[in-house]
């Protein structure tokens, strides 16, 4: 593989083939078929290690809760548990998978802007460690479920910190006009907190924010951190109550193409940790436990997707479309928020780049274009195309559109592979359909 790409995308090459964590991607595609999601276990572990070095071991009284919406499968959650991290889930399905993975209940936090009664019952019954309240109906609901099940719950409030975020508008969440979080309006927020104080079943832990995703600038985290710290002080003043925990969310950006600059975790975390310590010292507050919720940054770069090239269509003087056997069904991000990707031909890694093409998916949508204007060597049907950095929000957003089955997922490590999700069959795809 050419130097620059190798540095950025962490693969290696042998005999013209792309290797990912020691495994030949061409052989893997032959063996398991395509589309195929492939994750390097070592790269996931490397991220966990970076979080330990730059956050958990550096600062006492901290936790990392992996935002499993980025990639939630039993095997992934087992890996997260093995690494001793906590877990963030946002639905009954994510929680169900966590339970199936034997994820310890007390290390799970339940987020989500519209949790259903059934989901809350499931979470409270399992005994999740935190419920992060995101709507005004939730406190009453949680309380009544706790009473019914004779359980207690630890409550955080997700706030809308009203900060502007430098990312695509579709993945920005911390701005004032957002469906996420409780607005920073005293008449709205404090009565909710008072309800928690008044309840025997509920314990108030603190505040949570998540400003947005795919960030390469720390200013939104810093601004939101100031908001959360001031709220902590206000709670102390109003109720003489020292909150136990602040959750600063996730959002740490990764490299999709050479245009992206990936900042290390400490770039985001050192300033907010310094700010937290300084603020608490100045105001005579106990430093609370600080939790972060990275999703994308743990799995995105570890994952690639393999597709087989099929139809090739040249529009003279205009564009050459190279079609693959998947696309928006296994990676909706380009269509959903103009996300950019890059990739290579996995069986022609050393060949000269001789043409510009557009990689198009097979779904019946004009927006199903995976990569535009990509330099590739000459390609023919049957070549294997590898898209980099597909580990986050690829599998988890995959669909059966056009009745394409969901791809398999393979973990690779030091030259060994393991299928962790089998390819969906046509029969499985229609198993819940009923003939009339
Ligand atoms: C509440 C919450 N926490 C964490 C995350 C993870 O964000 P990222 O994958 O960008 O780290 C999200 C993503 O949307 C979120 O909504």
């Amino acid at each position: 593989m050419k130097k620059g790409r190798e540095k950025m995308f962490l693969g290696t090459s042998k005999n013209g083939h792309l290797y990912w964590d020691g495994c030949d991607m061409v052989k893997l595609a032959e063996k398991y078929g395509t589309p195929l999601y492939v994750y390097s276990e070592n790269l996931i572990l490397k991220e966990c290690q970076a979080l330990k070095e730059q956050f958990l071991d550096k600062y006492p009284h901290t936790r990392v809760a992996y935002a499993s919406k980025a990639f939630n499968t039993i095997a992934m959650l087992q890996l997260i548990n093995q690494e001793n991290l906590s877990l963030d889930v946002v639905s009954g399905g994510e929680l169900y998978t966590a339970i199936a993975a034997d994820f310890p209940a007390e290390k799970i936090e339940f987020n989500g802007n519209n949790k259903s009664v059934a989901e809350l019952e499931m979470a409270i019954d399992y005994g999740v460690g935190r419920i992060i309240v995101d709507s005004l109906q939730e406190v009453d609901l949680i309380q009544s479920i706790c009473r019914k099940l004779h359980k207690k719950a630890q409550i955080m409030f997700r706030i809308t910190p009203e900060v502007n975020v430098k990312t695509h508008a579709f993945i920005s969440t911390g701005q004032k006009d957002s469906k996420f979080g409780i607005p920073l309006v005293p008449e709205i927020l404090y009565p909710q907190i008072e309800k928690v104080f008044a309840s025997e079943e509920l314990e108030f832990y603190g505040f949570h924010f998540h400003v947005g995703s795919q960030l390469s600038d720390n200013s939104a985290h810093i601004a939101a951190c100031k908001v959360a710290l001031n709220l902590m002080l206000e709670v102390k003043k109003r109720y003489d109550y020292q909150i136990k925990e602040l959750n600063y969310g996730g959002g740490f950006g990764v490299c999709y193409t050479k245009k992206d600059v990936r900042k290390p975790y400490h770039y985001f975390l050192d300033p907010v940790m310094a700010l937290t310590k300084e603020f608490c010292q100045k105001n005579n507050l106990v430093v609370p436990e600080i939790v972060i919720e990275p999703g994308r940054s743990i799995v995105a770069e570890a994952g690639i997707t393999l597709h087989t090239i099929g139809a090739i269509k040249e529009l003279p003087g205009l564009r050459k479309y190279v079609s693959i056997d998947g696309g928006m069904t296994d990676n909706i991000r380009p269509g959903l928020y103009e996300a950019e990707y890059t990739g290579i031909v996995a069986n022609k890694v050393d060949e000269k780049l001789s043409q510009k093409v557009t990689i198009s998916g097979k779904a019946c949508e004009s927006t199903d274009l995976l990569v535009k204007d990509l330099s590739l060597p000459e390609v023919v049907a049957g070549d294997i195309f590898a898209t980099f950095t597909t580990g986050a929000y690829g599998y988890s957003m995959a669909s059966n559109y056009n009745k394409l089955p969901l791809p398999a997922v393979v973990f690779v490590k030091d030259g060994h592979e393991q299928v962790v999700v089998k390819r969906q069959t046509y029969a499985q795809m229609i198993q819940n359909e009923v003939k009339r």
Side-chain angles (χ1 to χ4, degrees):
M1 203 180 324
K2 299 272 180 302
K3 261 269 152 62
R5 276 185 257 161
E6 201 169 349
K7 198 167 149 245
M8 187 167 158
F9 291 114
L10 313 158
T12 53
S13 76
K14 205 156 98 189
N15 304 328
H17 286 190
L18 170 67
Y19 275 65
W20 202 245
D21 212 333
C23 286
D24 183 336
M25 290 302 99
V26 182
K27 282 209 177 121
L28 220 66
E30 265 168 29
K31 189 166 171 186
Y32 298 108
T34 55
L36 187 68
Y37 297 106
V38 185
Y39 284 81
S40 155
E41 203 175 314
N42 276 319
L43 289 179
I44 298 173
L45 295 176
K46 199 173 130 224
E47 291 302 330
C48 298
Q49 188 55 32
L51 283 161
K52 282 176 196 160
E53 282 165 18
Q54 297 175 41
F55 185 60
L56 292 171
D57 295 346
K58 191 167 175 182
Y59 299 105
H61 209 37
T62 48
R63 274 189 304 121
V64 172
Y66 166 62
S68 68
K69 60 181 74 87
F71 174 56
N72 175 305
T73 62
I74 292 175
M76 180 62 202
L77 304 193
Q78 286 178 307
L79 202 55
I80 288 297
N81 191 25
Q82 174 202 304
E83 288 303 289
N84 216 7
L85 303 184
S86 296
L87 187 70
D88 159 42
V89 299
V90 295
S91 71
E94 286 188 359
L95 177 59
Y96 186 84
T97 313
I99 296 171
D102 298 320
F103 209 93
E106 68 282 2
K107 287 167 68 185
I108 299 179
E109 37 189 81
F110 192 21
N111 260 296
N113 71 305
N114 185 24
K115 304 174 192 77
S116 72
V117 175
E119 286 174 327
L120 282 169
E121 280 179 350
M122 188 176 166
I124 292 167
D125 190 40
Y126 191 55
V128 298
R130 303 282 180 277
I131 300 180
I132 297 162
V133 167
D134 191 316
S135 76
L136 301 180
Q137 298 79 23
E138 237 179 289
V139 174
D140 289 337
L141 204 52
I142 295 169
Q143 187 177 19
S144 69
I145 295 170
C146 282
R147 278 194 186 144
K148 192 172 92 179
L149 300 178
H150 306 291
K151 296 266 189 178
K152 296 204 173 216
Q154 289 79 40
I155 302 295
M156 306 275 292
F157 284 95
R158 177 169 179 173
I159 51 156
T160 312
E162 299 184 12
V163 296
N164 290 325
V165 188
K166 291 177 192 157
T167 191
H168 195 289
F170 292 180
I171 46 175
S172 169
T173 54
Q175 71 281 7
K176 190 170 182 175
D177 185 357
S178 169
K179 74 166 186 166
F180 298 106
I182 312 273
L184 289 179
V185 177
E187 300 76 42
I188 297 178
L189 179 61
Y190 293 114
Q192 296 297 322
I193 294 177
E194 284 161 21
K195 270 189 200 172
V196 176
F197 282 140
S199 163
E200 277 181 19
E201 293 80 14
L202 309 182
E203 193 178 353
F204 178 42
Y205 261 69
F207 296 107
H208 168 289
F209 66 75
H210 172 72
V211 285
S213 212
Q214 183 53 7
L215 302 176
S216 56
D217 181 284
N218 60 13
S219 56
H221 278 95
I222 293 171
C225 176
K226 288 179 186 160
V227 173
L229 291 169
N230 278 308
L231 273 180
M232 174 167 77
L233 180 60
E234 187 58 29
V235 167
K236 177 79 178 150
K237 283 184 186 156
R238 279 185 188 229
Y239 309 111
D240 192 24
Y241 185 80
Q242 164 70 53
I243 64 158
K244 303 175 196 318
E245 191 169 306
L246 287 175
N247 185 320
Y248 293 164
F252 317 119
V254 300
C255 278
Y256 285 96
T257 71
K258 284 183 180 171
K259 281 193 253 166
D260 297 316
V261 180
R262 180 169 183 171
K263 298 281 175 52
Y265 292 110
H266 63 74
Y267 163 78
F268 294 95
L269 299 172
D270 285 351
V272 291
M273 292 310 284
L275 202 63
T276 306
K277 195 173 161 198
E278 201 180 296
F279 186 92
C280 290
Q281 267 169 3
K282 193 170 140 210
N283 294 290
N284 253 336
L285 294 163
V286 179
V287 179
E289 179 158 31
I290 303 297
V291 184
I292 55 167
E293 267 173 11
R296 183 190 312 270
S297 59
I298 295 182
V299 283
E301 291 177 9
I304 60 174
T305 310
L306 304 178
H307 288 103
T308 303
I309 290 174
I312 298 170
K313 192 177 291 180
E314 177 132 34
L315 308 182
L318 195 58
R319 188 177 291 280
K320 187 169 182 176
Y321 287 100
V322 171
S323 291
I324 50 162
D325 57 352
M328 69 189 298
T329 44
D330 55 73
N331 186 357
I332 187 78
R333 295 186 68 256
L336 191 60
Y337 23 66
E338 299 165 329
E340 291 184 19
Y341 284 86
T342 190
I344 58 172
V345 180
N347 55 315
K348 295 180 174 172
V349 169
D350 298 328
E351 288 190 21
K352 199 166 149 259
L353 307 178
S354 56
Q355 56 174 347
K356 274 233 154 74
V357 307
T358 288
I359 304 291
S360 49
K362 97 184 236 105
C364 302
E365 293 292 328
S366 300
T367 55
D368 186 18
L369 304 174
L370 192 61
V371 192
K372 286 187 193 150
D373 299 324
L374 176 68
S375 296
L376 282 193
E378 288 308 308
V379 286
V380 292
D383 284 339
I384 302 298
F385 183 72
T387 313
F388 291 112
T389 319
T390 58
Y393 306 107
Y395 172 82
S396 58
M397 288 189 176
S399 78
N400 282 135
Y401 181 51
N402 287 172
K403 281 251 158 109
L404 301 188
L406 296 178
V409 183
V410 178
F411 275 15
V412 289
K413 188 180 184 198
D414 300 327
H416 300 285
E417 86 239 15
Q418 188 195 2
V419 177
V420 296
V421 182
K422 293 181 198 158
R423 185 175 304 283
Q424 193 182 34
T425 62
Y426 286 140
Q428 286 167 339
M429 210 165 30
I430 61 162
Q431 69 188 355
N432 291 336
E433 299 188 20
V434 179
K435 269 189 184 157
R436 35 181 264 134

